[in-house]
Amino acid sequence: MNLRMFIPEQASTYAVKVDPLFYALTAFTIVFVVGLTFLLIYLGLKYIQKPGSGRRSVHVENMALELTWSAIPAVIALGIFVWGAVLYYDYRNIPANTLDINVIGKQWMWKIQHPNGLREVNELTVPKGQPVKLTMTSQDVLHSFYIPAFRVKQDVLPARYTTMWFEATKVGTFPLFCAEYCGTEHSTMGGLVHVVEPAEYQQWLAGGPSLTPVQAGEALFASMGCATCHAAGDASRGPHLEGKFGAEETLRDGTVLTVDEEYVRESIMNPTAKVVKGYTPLMPNFTSQLNDEDVSNLVAYIKSLSAVN
Ligand code: HEC
Ligand SMILES: [Cu+2]
């Protein structure tokens, strides 16, 4: 039997941190299962009813014993909770200097888009030793992006962006899966992650297409007529979008929110959901004219209009 089947290689900084917790949990489980089963059988046999054995109930009170067997498991359980919480915080806290890659899930493939616009299908090429952030969405149903060797997994939802990050530590090729049942060919929805040296990644990127997501978004912004209402300077028809990303926005109902990918996406696909204070909701609904990739490109463009990234 090949243990590798059950324990994938550790190929990210996070894998190295998660595995000790996993082994600790497994060890505790084994100790308790084996220990309790042994005691159950041993004591059952030892005190088995024989002719003449006394069956009067004995009342014993032992405060020290009670406290011990409550306190020790409590410390173990809380210890595991804190350990898990610290790791989860690390996993959700995306570092600032990431390489940003877009992922679109669709029945039944993964479409990947690199910062310079280069695309891959069911392959994800990333440099070693650099934090990578994936911004993910789905074109149809729920999927889940899963790279066992990196110990990272995140649901991918239609009409929403989810993110996850990792830093690969080993050059090599690792499997990639969809981990959410998404239809007949769910089991074939997967691919390979290629981790290469940073220089090789740059070289590989250089062979890519000329239009980056930002450029593609800018072209759409003009061709879809967004600019007629959102042109720089004149904010009479629609709010101008320079410096908007990452800033706070006040809505008609008084809610204040921070402009992020999710909000921009919703503003484009469902403009009346959240209407900006001081404006009439006259923005048309673009759902039928833009696909997910277009929206991602528009979001990238609107993002690029702000200094913050
Ligand atoms: C007919 C005019 C018009 C067109 C065309 C239009 N918008 Fe808008 N847009 C508005 C108005 C008015 C608002 C503010 C009211 C609201 O939130 O619905 C708005 C709001 C937004 C917001 C939220 C801005 C903020 O300040 O929070 C974004 C993002 C946006 N539009 C993007 C786009 C994109 C991308 C396109 C092209 C695909 C587009 N708009 C086309 C009029 C328009
Ligand atoms: Cu799937």
Side-chain angles (χ1 to χ4, degrees):
M1 191 171 61
N2 184 0
L3 264 185
R4 263 290 163 72
M5 263 173 69
F6 301 103
I7 308 165
E9 207 169 331
Q10 287 183 329
S12 76
T13 51
Y14 194 60
V16 181
K17 295 184 202 166
V18 162
D19 286 3
L21 174 59
F22 173 75
Y23 292 128
L25 279 170
T26 311
F28 275 123
T29 310
I30 292 173
V31 166
F32 279 101
V33 167
V34 171
L36 287 174
T37 311
F38 170 76
L39 282 176
L40 188 76
I41 296 172
Y42 171 75
L43 294 174
L45 289 175
K46 181 166 182 196
Y47 294 105
I48 198 164
Q49 188 163 15
K50 294 186 195 116
S53 53
R55 287 282 128 191
R56 278 172 298 112
S57 65
V58 190
H59 188 74
V60 185
E61 242 178 59
N62 190 333
M63 195 53 142
L65 189 62
E66 298 266 358
L67 284 178
T68 314
W69 74 37
S70 303
I72 293 177
V75 168
I76 295 177
L78 283 175
I80 289 172
F81 163 72
V82 171
W83 192 353
V86 168
L87 283 179
Y88 186 71
Y89 184 79
D90 185 23
Y91 178 50
R92 291 316 314 167
N93 223 3
I94 300 172
N97 57 335
T98 49
L99 167 74
D100 293 355
I101 296 178
N102 285 334
V103 175
I104 296 177
K106 94 179 256 272
Q107 285 165 326
W108 289 275
M109 64 176 83
W110 292 111
K111 297 197 277 186
I112 313 283
Q113 196 183 17
H114 290 265
N116 75 339
L118 189 64
R119 272 164 239 248
E120 295 178 278
V121 171
N122 292 342
E123 314 252 340
L124 169 61
T125 306
V126 292
K128 184 185 123 183
Q130 190 185 340
V132 173
K133 174 183 166 191
L134 304 182
T135 302
M136 307 184 287
T137 190
S138 164
Q139 218 162 296
D140 36 49
V141 299
L142 272 179
H143 301 281
S144 181
F145 200 79
Y146 181 31
I147 310 171
F150 297 170
R151 310 292 190 271
V152 290
K153 172 156 69 176
Q154 172 66 51
D155 274 8
V156 175
L157 312 164
R160 268 221 246 169
Y161 288 109
T162 52
T163 52
M164 87 179 179
W165 80 279
F166 55 79
E167 182 180 328
T169 52
K170 276 186 197 160
V171 168
T173 298
F174 308 97
L176 150 71
F177 296 104
C178 174
E180 182 73 59
Y181 179 65
C182 57
T184 353
E185 280 164 57
H186 160 69
S187 61
T188 63
M189 184 168 169
L192 295 171
V193 180
H194 303 287
V195 180
V196 297
E197 293 293 347
E200 199 184 325
Y201 177 74
Q202 288 310 331
Q203 211 175 7
W204 176 81
L205 271 191
S210 46
L211 223 53
T212 66
V214 172
Q215 291 165 334
E218 189 173 8
L220 277 170
F221 200 77
S223 66
M224 298 304 296
C226 315
T228 49
C229 297
H230 291 291
D234 173 24
S236 57
R237 298 197 68 188
H240 48 80
L241 303 173
E242 288 77 15
K244 191 119 274 181
F245 198 87
E248 286 193 338
E249 183 64 281
T250 310
L251 304 183
R252 197 160 57 168
D253 63 7
T255 327
V256 177
L257 48 75
T258 307
V259 176
D260 57 7
E261 281 116 349
E262 190 83 44
Y263 170 76
V264 174
R265 189 200 160 85
E266 192 184 45
S267 296
I268 300 171
M269 297 308 260
N270 188 5
T272 46
K274 299 201 176 84
V275 177
V276 181
K277 190 173 176 189
Y279 285 92
T280 330
L282 45 80
M283 175 160 157
N285 186 314
F286 286 94
T287 323
S288 57
Q289 294 156 65
L290 299 169
N291 63 30
D292 280 286
E293 202 176 302
D294 296 337
V295 181
S296 294
N297 289 337
L298 279 169
V299 173
Y301 171 63
I302 290 168
K303 221 166 150 177
S304 78
L305 297 174
S306 303
V308 281
N309 194 356

